[in-house]
Amino acid sequence: MARKKEPASVLSEQDSAQVQSLLEHFETVAQALYTSTSQAEAEVALRPISDLSESAQLSLLKELAKSTSPAAADIAMALNVFDSPKEVRKEARRTLLRLETAKVYPQWHPPISHAPAIQVGVANPPRFWKGVVTEAR
């Protein structure tokens, strides 16, 4: 099946200059991600990228897909997990897939805090939480 043609994104000169400067220094963003221990710190590390316009973020991700650095994969994973615009998350996932075909995998795992599935010491415990199956009616 033939791939769809991607529409050419038109960037302003200011956006393209910001994208180029981020491409030159994306390792510093990755280093900030590596040192983050919480979701808030990771979002602060991604602030230079998330402050860009959506089209600039998309072009940055397309350029990161051409890189062979694991830092590019880590940034794409972070944008996929933490960035809010849907198109940016989708392009970040595509970037991860492109990098995986080139055998470049992310080494960073997002610090997401999960709520426990079972809460101990609930004020109103469930009335029925264990059951026994018997043959009797």
Side-chain angles (χ1 to χ4, degrees), residues 110-129:
I112 299 175
S113 59
H114 297 287
I118 300 172
Q119 296 178 354
V120 179
V122 178
N124 296 325
R127 290 176 44 194
F128 179 79
W129 62 279

Side-chain angles (χ1 to χ4, degrees), residues 91-128:
E91 187 62 37
R93 183 67 187 142
R94 287 185 203 114
T95 299
L96 281 172
L97 292 174
R98 288 181 188 125
L99 288 170
E100 286 176 1
T101 58
K103 306 268 192 248
V104 177
Y105 300 101
Q107 299 172 348
W108 175 76
H109 298 288
I112 299 175
S113 59
H114 297 287
I118 300 172
Q119 296 178 354
V120 179
V122 178
N124 296 325
R127 290 176 44 194
F128 179 79

Side-chain angles (χ1 to χ4, degrees), residues 29 32-33 36 38-51 82:
V29 175
L33 281 175
S36 65
S38 67
Q39 181 175 350
E41 290 178 5
E43 289 174 353
V44 168
L46 289 174
R47 181 81 34 115
I49 297 173
S50 61
D51 286 345
F82 296 126

Side-chain angles (χ1 to χ4, degrees), residues 38-92:
S38 67
Q39 181 175 350
E41 290 178 5
E43 289 174 353
V44 168
L46 289 174
R47 181 81 34 115
I49 297 173
S50 61
D51 286 345
L52 295 174
S53 66
E54 187 174 334
S55 60
Q57 289 180 22
L58 293 175
S59 71
L60 175 72
L61 283 167
K62 288 177 184 176
E63 292 299 319
L64 284 177
K66 298 174 186 175
S67 173
T68 58
S69 170
D74 295 333
I75 291 173
M77 174 177 274
L79 286 174
N80 184 27
V81 173
F82 296 126
D83 211 5
S84 60
K86 182 179 180 180
E87 288 301 317
V88 175
R89 288 193 319 263
K90 287 170 64 175
E91 187 62 37

